[in-house]
Amino acid sequence: MSAILPLYPLENPMPKAQADAPIGIFDSGIGGLSVAQEIANYLPHEHILYYADTAHVPYGPRTDQEIRELTANAVEWLYRQGCKIAVVACNTASAFSLDYLREHYGESFPIVGLVPALKPAVLQSKSKVVSVLATPATFRGKLIKDVIQRFAEPAQVEVLTVTNLELVPFVESGQCNSVECKASLKNVLDPIVAQGADYLVLGCTHYPYLKQSIADIYGDQLTMIDSGLAVARQTARILIKHELLLLQPLEYKVRLECYVSGKNAEALSFVLKHLIHEKISWSIHDVVDKLHE
Ligand code: DGL
């Protein structure tokens, strides 16, 4: 593993970005592209810069402090690229970092984060048993505990929290529909189906790419909910609040520019071909700076 560097002090702040600057989106890996595509659909004029820290994925098994530092480095990279906003498209990273990041950048660089979409699942569950599938780190964080307390407990909905560290590597290696991936999904989801869960909250941005496999196994026994559209709406609200929403189409070469750490661009371009909707133009590049090698 590469060394994790200390957080950047905000010594030389960037000039305040304008509406024509890109939206910055970050995830530990390529999972956050599920969010990036929702944002691209919802905000059709915007140019998106996506950063995947593939040198350090998965974040799920890491310590709180490692996750906080890696997230701070990634968000700082987006800031230094001149992005107008950062969307932390990762439940695991959001769980430990949002307060710190908001305090650090203040009004000059708005931060949007993610929390598993438990509320709609609680409101719609008929069996009153819902499950959240997320990384162990996400469950250690305060955000998920807060939503369980705010929404599930008053409605007397039982929340089954489950984790499976094999799933993120399946998505990263383009094996979402493989026999091995389906077997791994069955291991973690059979027990929650047996306990009566009718809603499954996809509490990791990699998991929307597993929807097809989950539907192949469970049909309409499990209704899946993710946070993508809610995050796209929240991003629009924050851009409007900061007068940063782009109202006219821009001139740019590609809509979704992806940058990856760990020199993985070539290998990942084959995976991205299957993950990114064909209507969205995209490119992929290695990040070459000292912080992210
Ligand atoms: N995509 C990330 C999330 O939403 C985490 C994946 C990982 O790095 O473990 O939680």
Side-chain angles (χ1 to χ4, degrees), residues 27-32 50 56-62 88-94 114 134-138 165 168-169 172 202-207:
D27 179 38
S28 58
I30 58 177
Y50 182 88
H56 301 108
V57 70
Y59 281 14
R62 293 178 181 278
V88 181
C90 177
N91 294 268
T92 309
S94 295
L114 243 92
T135 68
T138 297
L165 288 172
V168 166
E172 291 286 320
L202 303 174
C204 167
T205 53
H206 282 73
Y207 301 162

Side-chain angles (χ1 to χ4, degrees), residues 27 77 130 143 148 208 221 225 242 256 278 291:
D27 179 38
W77 187 83
V130 303
L143 297 178
I148 292 177
Q221 268 183 296
I225 297 197
H242 289 263
L256 176 56
E278 56 194 23
L291 191 61

Side-chain angles (χ1 to χ4, degrees), residues 187-235:
N187 276 340
V188 67
L189 299 180
D190 275 359
I192 61 111
V193 172
Q195 287 173 78
D198 60 350
Y199 273 77
L200 175 65
V201 179
L202 303 174
C204 167
T205 53
H206 282 73
Y207 301 162
Y209 293 117
L210 301 173
K211 276 183 181 170
Q212 186 57 56
S213 284
I214 297 172
D216 288 348
I217 305 168
Y218 298 103
D220 54 14
Q221 268 183 296
L222 272 182
T223 304
M224 292 171 260
I225 297 197
D226 66 64
S227 316
L229 183 57
V231 176
R233 290 193 176 129
Q234 177 65 0
T235 304

Side-chain angles (χ1 to χ4, degrees), residues 129-148:
V129 183
V130 303
S131 181
V132 183
L133 178 61
T135 68
T138 297
F139 290 126
R140 280 201 311 276
K142 192 174 149 303
L143 297 178
I144 183 72
K145 290 180 186 141
D146 284 352
V147 287
I148 292 177

Side-chain angles (χ1 to χ4, degrees), residues 37 40-41 44 252 254-256 273 275-282:
Q37 292 187 87
N41 290 337
Y252 42 72
V254 290
R255 277 212 75 198
L256 176 56
K273 271 184 200 148
L275 296 189
I276 301 180
H277 193 283
E278 56 194 23
K279 284 194 189 139
I280 301 173
S281 60
W282 59 276

